[in-house]
């Protein structure tokens, strides 16, 4: 189950990166003419104002953090479940035998 969730999160992360890349390409194409006519100093002044793609990148970083937490938690949880099942198996075997 955790592997399925991990695969879904990884697929979502890949899609976010693809969308971010596509958005950056479209933005670059739209701004090409404008930037060609703009002086270098004006470009530097406006560079810090452009925030396109930052929200998407932030979501990708949060998703990566969640993936890391799920992956770390899944290994611990798998061990706990295996221990619990072994204990239950031992109790059932003792009750039957």
């Amino acid at each position: 189950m955790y592997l399925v969730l991990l695969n879904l999160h990884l697929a979502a992360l890949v899609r976010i990166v693809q969308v971010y890349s596509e958005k950056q390409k479209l933005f670059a194409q739209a701004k090409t003419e404008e930037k060609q006519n703009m002086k270098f100093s004006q470009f530097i002044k406006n560079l810090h104002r452009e925030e396109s793609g930052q929200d998407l990148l932030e979501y990708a970083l949060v998703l990566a953090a969640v993936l890391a937490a799920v992956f770390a938690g899944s290994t611990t949880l798998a061990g706990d479940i295996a221990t619990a099942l072994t204990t239950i198996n031992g109790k059932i075997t003792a009750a039957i035998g």
Side-chain angles (χ1 to χ4, degrees):
M1 179 175 166
Y2 290 104
L3 291 177
V4 172
L5 288 174
L6 185 61
N7 283 337
L8 289 174
H9 286 299
L10 286 175
L13 183 61
V14 168
R15 183 62 187 142
I16 287 173
V17 171
Q18 289 173 342
V19 168
Y20 177 75
S21 176
E22 291 169 5
K23 184 177 179 181
Q24 288 301 98
K25 287 178 185 176
L26 291 175
F27 181 75
Q29 289 172 354
K31 292 289 183 174
T32 300
E33 284 185 27
E34 182 181 335
K35 286 182 182 178
Q36 287 175 350
N37 296 331
M38 189 183 305
K39 291 182 182 178
F40 183 72
S41 60
Q42 290 174 332
F43 173 72
I44 296 298
K45 288 178 185 177
N46 292 334
L47 186 64
H48 73 281
R49 293 185 197 156
E50 295 179 7
E51 297 180 3
S52 65
Q54 287 184 2
D55 292 336
L56 191 58
L57 182 61
E58 289 170 2
Y59 289 131
L61 290 173
V62 168
L63 184 60
V66 168
L67 279 173
V70 166
F71 184 73
S74 66
T75 56
T76 304
L77 185 61
D80 292 344
I81 291 172
T83 303
L85 290 176
T86 303
T87 304
I88 291 170
N89 187 28
K91 289 182 180 183
I92 291 173
T93 304
I96 293 174

